[in-house]
Amino acid sequence: MQTELVEKKKWISQSRFLHALNFCMLLPGPEAQQLAIYVGWLLHKTWGGIVAGALFVIPSIFILWGLSFVYAAYGNVPWIAAIFYGLKPAVLAIVAFAVIRIGKKSLRNFVLWSIAALAFIGIFFFKIPFPVIVLSAVIIGWVGGKLSRETFVAAGSNKVADEDEAPPHVRPSFGRALRICVVGGLLWWLPILALGFWRGWDHTLFQEGLFFSKAAVVTFGGAYAVLPYVAQQAVENYHWLATGQMMDGLGLAETTPGPLIMVLQFVGFIGGWNRAMGMSPLLAATLGAFITTWATFVPCFLWIFLGAPHIEQLRGNAKISAALSAVTAAVVGVILNLAVWFGLHALFPDGKNIDWFSLTIAAVAFLGMLKWKWNIIPVVIGSGVVGLLWKLSS
């Protein structure tokens, strides 16, 4: 998006692009899709945001549905299981690489390193809920920005470049905000409530809609930060799918176009398939995938259309930049928690003995991405092929 929108097409300036990205990271939900909505709205008002945000995810919805069906229906076929055997350590390497990549950019001093460490300790050892960690980081960044601005705000990060004036439609309006709340709220909740009335309030489909709606409100920091919260609840609390299936779903999402957060659609699909509760497994899985995707992405339009005008007014605000720096640092700790969680399950499948094949694949994939700049897609495909060959030869 940076290359196409700023450098090639020059649809949006560098400073405005970074400002939009920073504030999308402060919002709950997938920041990549929110950034697409933001830019579309900035260029072509509400319909521009709808088109940009919808087309950002629609192709991957259909692709991932097909892959999820093949996985659910034929996942026990030996050669498919072998491919996923190779994918799991690749996922571990990808998440570990994300920790390094994001940490290098965001942890500029001892204070931010400390926030990341405390976030990891809090979520891994004490099971502190993710929203509590994010809220604590916001408070630390807000207060810390007042006490020591240079610690939390990078030099020049709060400067607004001299550029063309903002178009008229970016100005806040109470009437517009009210219309967005009413229309957006109805679009968000009507399908979920309809499933509740149709199948019952205890049915898996309604529970998925309710859970992922809550996740859309409380999960900050993008896909890698959302996954620990979803994995903990979907696997350990609701029992919609197993840990291995969660890791397989992330591998599938890594191989498809669109945002990584699409892994949540896989969770909804498998949850409906495993717990159809009186319905056809395929129908329950399809509706589960739909309601999960709906509850994940529709709120993003509401957040952007409601908040973007105010976000434009806050350009250059040092206090917000300080809060963002602390949140980003905390997210690094949360992603490290995800890497450790994946590592324990991928490298110690029985909980005791190490899987040397998985360790080798994870190490090679990690070094390849870190040292030789391998792209994620070749890493995922190559690991799946190696897993298949290993199982066929053993």
Side-chain angles (χ1 to χ4, degrees):
M1 293 173 74
Q2 158 79 23
T3 301
E4 291 292 326
L5 301 180
V6 178
E7 299 172 10
K8 292 184 178 180
K9 293 182 170 60
K10 300 185 186 302
W11 286 350
I12 184 173
S13 69
Q14 178 71 58
S15 62
R16 180 161 274 151
F17 178 87
L18 292 177
H19 177 78
L21 174 60
N22 285 341
F23 281 96
C24 287
M25 289 182 66
L26 279 178
L27 296 171
E31 78 278 0
Q33 194 225 11
Q34 290 167 347
L35 182 59
I37 299 170
Y38 192 110
V39 174
W41 166 81
L42 193 63
L43 296 174
H44 298 289
K45 304 181 181 180
T46 301
W47 277 110
I50 292 173
V51 170
L55 293 179
F56 191 81
V57 297
I58 285 176
S60 55
I61 288 176
F62 291 99
I63 294 172
L64 192 57
W65 180 92
L67 291 174
S68 299
F69 171 73
V70 171
Y71 175 85
Y74 306 106
N76 291 327
V77 176
W79 68 269
I80 294 180
I83 291 175
F84 281 102
Y85 178 61
L87 282 179
K88 291 176 183 179
V91 169
L92 167 61
I94 290 168
V95 178
F97 178 66
V99 175
I100 302 296
R101 184 181 60 208
I102 298 174
K104 282 184 176 180
K105 294 181 179 180
S106 57
L107 305 182
R108 304 183 301 272
N109 52 55
F110 176 76
V111 172
L112 296 178
W113 275 99
S114 299
I115 293 174
L118 289 174
F120 171 76
I121 293 171
I123 197 169
F124 185 79
F125 291 102
F126 298 101
K127 309 301 180 184
I128 296 176
F130 180 66
V132 174
I133 291 176
V134 171
L135 180 60
S136 301
V138 169
I139 295 173
I140 292 172
W142 187 271
V143 175
K146 292 182 178 181
L147 299 177
S148 179
R149 180 176 172 277
E150 63 277 5
T151 301
F152 291 88
V153 181
S157 65
N158 64 319
K159 294 180 180 178
V160 178
D162 294 329
E163 57 190 8
D164 57 317
E165 292 186 4
H169 71 271
V170 307
R171 298 179 187 136
S173 165
F174 176 77
R176 176 181 175 278
L178 183 61
R179 290 194 301 271
I180 289 172
C181 288
V182 173
V183 175
L186 288 174
L187 286 174
W188 178 359
W189 283 101
L190 280 178
I192 299 171
L193 295 175
L195 286 174
F197 280 110
W198 177 39
R199 302 306 303 183
W201 308 111
D202 293 329
H203 198 277
T204 302
L205 296 178
F206 175 75
Q207 292 297 320
E208 286 183 339
L210 194 63
F211 169 71
F212 286 105
S213 292
K214 182 172 70 172
V217 175
V218 302
T219 50
F220 298 80
Y224 285 115
V226 171
L227 285 172
Y229 173 70
V230 172
Q232 182 185 47
Q233 295 296 315
V235 175
E236 300 174 10
N237 186 20
Y238 292 101
H239 307 290
W240 289 331
L241 72 173
T243 300
Q245 291 177 319
M246 184 72 194
M247 298 178 67
D248 292 341
L250 184 56
L252 279 179
E254 291 280 12
T255 63
T256 59
L260 179 60
I261 199 71
M262 289 303 299
V263 67
L264 301 189
Q265 177 183 308
F266 175 85
V267 174
F269 186 98
I270 298 299
W273 184 281
N274 289 340
R275 301 186 62 183
M277 299 177 69
M279 299 177 64
S280 159
L282 180 58
L283 176 60
T286 301
L287 290 176
F290 163 76
I291 203 62
T292 298
T293 305
W294 185 267
T296 298
F297 291 107
V298 168
C300 296
F301 293 91
L302 178 60
W303 308 149
I304 296 299
F305 291 152
L306 193 61
H310 301 283
I311 289 172
E312 282 293 305
Q313 288 190 323
L314 290 173
R315 296 175 65 207
N317 189 305
K319 295 178 181 178
I320 299 297
S321 298
L324 174 63
S325 296
V327 170
T328 306
V331 165
V332 174
V334 174
I335 299 173
L336 178 60
N337 164 71
L338 179 64
V340 173
W341 186 81
F342 276 145
L344 292 175
H345 289 89
L347 303 181
F348 301 90
D350 61 357
K352 298 179 180 179
N353 301 310
I354 190 169
D355 186 330
W356 292 103
F357 171 81
S358 295
L359 177 61
T360 302
I361 293 297
V364 171
F366 178 77
L367 289 175
M369 290 184 290
L370 185 65
K371 187 174 182 180
W372 298 296
K373 311 301 181 184
W374 291 353
N375 290 324
I376 288 178
I377 296 299
V379 168
V380 170
I381 294 175
S383 300
V385 172
V386 171
L388 176 61
L389 295 176
W390 175 264
K391 285 295 186 181
L392 289 178
S393 63
S394 60

